[in-house]
Amino acid sequence: MPVGAQAWSGGDFPPAYRRILDPFVARGAAASVTTRIRLGTSVVVVPYHDPILLAKQCSTVYYLSGGRFLLGIGVGYVQKEIENHGVPFKIRYSLMRDKMRAVLTIWLNEIASYEGQYVKYFKCNRSPNPSSSHDRPSGSADHYGERSERHH
């Protein structure tokens, strides 16, 4: 979080925001000592993340937890923080949609290639592979951000 960034309420962020753990490392650690609880993120701000690495991080935690991982996503709303990651504030919705389409392409294909508006990669393999096809993360990225973008 950039120093001086303001919360949506206009005030300062609580001190706890400076101590937030990496969600994938923390869920991987939790997966190693639990067997039944679901391990979800709060909100991963997708525009900050490389989609190939994001797919790998999520797949790893999904695999380590035996399929108990749940990914929560968002576009971010703190302009200074978004711009610190090299993302123009105005494209964060379309960038999130493109990156999630790229992530889902990796998750759903043994060897994936993707070419979108902002993301392009060729012949990327999915690893670690979930134990069977019914364990594989799935979904559709077509709707990501559309509702929020219409109301913003």
Side-chain angles (χ1 to χ4, degrees), residues 36-114:
R36 295 183 319 179
I37 64 169
R38 294 220 178 240
L39 305 168
T41 63
S42 176
V43 177
V44 172
V45 181
V46 174
Y48 302 170
H49 294 272
D50 174 272
I52 296 170
L53 181 57
L54 181 60
K56 175 80 165 186
Q57 291 168 313
C58 293
S59 293
T60 299
V61 178
Y62 192 85
Y63 176 82
L64 292 173
S65 69
R68 295 178 289 131
F69 178 67
L70 302 169
L71 176 64
I73 64 169
V75 295
Y77 68 92
V78 180
Q79 187 166 351
K80 284 183 180 181
E81 184 178 25
I82 291 166
E83 291 172 350
N84 267 358
H85 287 273
V87 176
F89 191 72
K90 291 185 183 278
I91 70 160
R92 67 194 191 282
Y93 291 98
S94 58
L95 180 60
M96 181 179 76
R97 273 193 303 276
D98 197 38
K99 285 187 173 190
M100 285 309 301
R101 286 180 182 128
V103 167
L104 288 170
T105 300
I106 292 171
W107 284 344
L108 299 174
N109 297 282
E110 197 68 35
I111 297 176
S113 295
Y114 179 83

Side-chain angles (χ1 to χ4, degrees), residues 9-52:
S9 62
D12 292 332
F13 283 96
Y17 273 69
R18 286 177 256 157
R19 296 187 304 271
I20 294 174
L21 299 175
D22 178 279
F24 306 108
V25 174
R27 275 40 173 208
S32 72
V33 296
T34 63
T35 58
R36 295 183 319 179
I37 64 169
R38 294 220 178 240
L39 305 168
T41 63
S42 176
V43 177
V44 172
V45 181
V46 174
Y48 302 170
H49 294 272
D50 174 272
I52 296 170

